[in-house]
Amino acid sequence: MDRREAMLREMNLYPLWVRRDLPAPQAAEVEAPAPLERVAAVEAAAALPQTYEAVPAPAAVNEVTTDSAMQEETGSAEAVTEEAGDETVPPDLFAAPHDEDDWTGMTFREHGEGEDTLRAFQRKVAAGPLAGVDWPELKQKVHDCQLCALRAGCTQTVFGVGDQQADWLFVGEGPGEEEDAEGEPFVGESGRLLDNMLIAIGLRRNANAYITNVVKCRPPENRPPHLGEIAACLPYLKRQIGLLKPRLIVVMGKTAATALLDSDATLATLRGRVYDYAGIPLIVTYHPAYLLRKPTEKARVWEDLRLAVETINAL
Ligand code: URA
């Protein structure tokens, strides 16, 4: 059994995924981090008909924290100028949220009528002027962040890993115990599965993909992050997207999908389409941890990955 076959077996994908009319993939093609179009899985996906149309993400979230988009991000349009790194941006925008709002413990559903979107909630949380912030400074800001209670309870922040020029961005939920200990996203069991998923489409975490999470601090007992925690952390992810400028974003799991699409729809409803996220195609799939609990869903993830490859190849 070659490495590719072993990997596909691990994902419950083999031999289901080999299209009969395509040549059998060569192990050598996935051994080295080759350009995407040289990888068999990618070629196979590229051969599929282009049957997907981009679905616009909700207009309110169809943006990233680029050097000019931050004023909308923070809801502080008066305070933040459009100029990258403008000195007049008040430094205290990074201050803790208002006392009147005990928002850090809220969940999406508890948030209440009239304020039922993450975006609306986020307007209350001035996360700071991130426009013009570069990678090292952003990492430092994440490290120093005290916007929610998670920072006090975690060992260290988990910023992200990978090539800062990568075409592919993978977004998970938040660090677990092992990630918290190592300071790197997806290093535990679900991370090993994610690595296999990446390899299946010719990617590697330190070569041609960037991996991060919606929240950068481990929630206690690995619980899902609360709405307020997501809202506080999201500007960091958006700035990462603005800096990375990926050609494609894959969001894994409900938390990441909710955060970036500002939708509380089920994952089953959200997946299978290509969303337009500030001009970047975005694809939703199941979280690797969910796949560990429900391996039969790996088939759907493979469909999603093929859609992702097909989409990036068509750009
Ligand atoms: N689950 C996530 O969502 N992210 C990690 O980094 C690890 C597990």
Side-chain angles (χ1 to χ4, degrees):
M1 193 191 311
D2 66 28
R3 183 169 173 180
R4 183 175 190 279
E5 182 181 332
M7 180 182 74
L8 292 177
R9 278 186 195 283
E10 160 62 20
M11 289 184 70
N12 280 355
L13 301 177
Y14 193 88
L16 219 63
W17 310 105
V18 179
R19 279 167 50 113
R20 285 197 198 118
D21 54 340
L22 293 169
Q26 300 299 305
E29 291 180 274
V30 283
E31 284 303 332
L36 290 178
E37 52 281 1
R38 296 181 65 85
V39 177
V42 175
E43 284 168 4
L48 295 171
Q50 304 289 319
T51 53
Y52 299 93
E53 282 179 18
V55 179
V61 296
N62 195 8
E63 62 189 39
V64 295
T65 310
T66 58
D67 289 352
S68 61
M70 196 59 207
Q71 62 174 28
E72 178 64 12
E73 178 59 45
T74 60
S76 308
E78 330 66 59
V80 182
T81 79
E82 287 197 42
E83 293 300 312
D86 191 301
E87 303 278 303
T88 62
V89 173
D92 63 352
L93 280 179
F94 245 102
H98 298 190
D99 290 347
E100 69 202 39
D101 248 340
D102 178 18
W103 51 270
T104 53
M106 282 186 180
T107 65
F108 211 91
R109 294 194 187 286
E110 287 163 355
H111 188 36
E113 218 174 301
E115 291 281 10
D116 59 347
T117 68
L118 178 66
R119 174 116 194 135
F121 194 92
Q122 198 181 351
R123 288 204 184 94
K124 297 183 177 179
V125 185
L130 297 181
V133 168
D134 62 11
W135 282 109
E137 201 186 340
L138 186 64
K139 191 169 184 182
Q140 188 63 43
K141 281 185 183 294
V142 167
H143 176 269
D144 296 341
C145 182
Q146 299 288 340
L147 277 174
C148 79
L150 294 184
R151 182 68 184 97
C154 73
T155 308
Q156 58 187 315
T157 51
V158 179
F159 182 72
V161 66
D163 179 4
Q164 290 170 358
Q165 315 287 327
D167 287 342
W168 293 72
L169 170 64
F170 289 80
V171 183
E173 178 177 293
E177 187 176 7
E178 287 166 87
E179 291 77 20
D180 180 64
E182 288 195 32
E184 181 169 328
F186 285 99
V187 291
E189 208 185 343
S190 56
R192 286 186 280 283
L193 180 53
L194 174 59
D195 284 340
N196 286 343
M197 289 161 54
L198 296 183
I199 292 169
I201 53 170
L203 302 175
R204 278 168 203 264
R205 71 165 54 213
N206 283 312
N208 43 14
Y210 193 87
I211 304 168
T212 190
N213 286 305
V214 171
V215 298
K216 314 300 189 201
C217 297
R218 181 194 179 199
E221 264 118 68
N222 297 347
R223 64 155 170 78
H226 292 144
L227 178 61
E229 294 157 355
I230 295 171
C233 223
L234 198 54
Y236 299 126
L237 174 60
K238 290 192 172 185
R239 183 58 187 156
Q240 284 177 306
I241 295 172
L243 286 166
L244 187 67
K245 298 185 183 69
R247 294 180 70 214
L248 187 120
I249 301 171
V250 179
V251 294
M252 302 175 291
K254 184 77 193 312
T255 299
T258 297
L260 285 180
L261 294 178
D262 199 19
S263 164
D264 205 19
T266 64
L267 206 84
T269 310
L270 291 171
R271 57 171 291 278
R273 287 187 263 174
V274 183
Y275 296 87
D276 178 348
Y277 187 85
I280 303 167
L282 181 150
I283 283 165
V284 175
T285 195
Y286 290 110
H287 192 285
Y290 174 73
L291 295 185
L292 292 172
R293 294 195 302 278
K294 209 160 174 208
T296 50
E297 298 292 19
K298 288 177 181 176
R300 296 193 201 287
V301 170
W302 182 237
E303 280 172 20
D304 298 335
L305 292 178
R306 288 202 328 178
L307 171 59
V309 168
E310 180 188 331
T311 302
I312 206 167
N313 281 350
L315 293 177

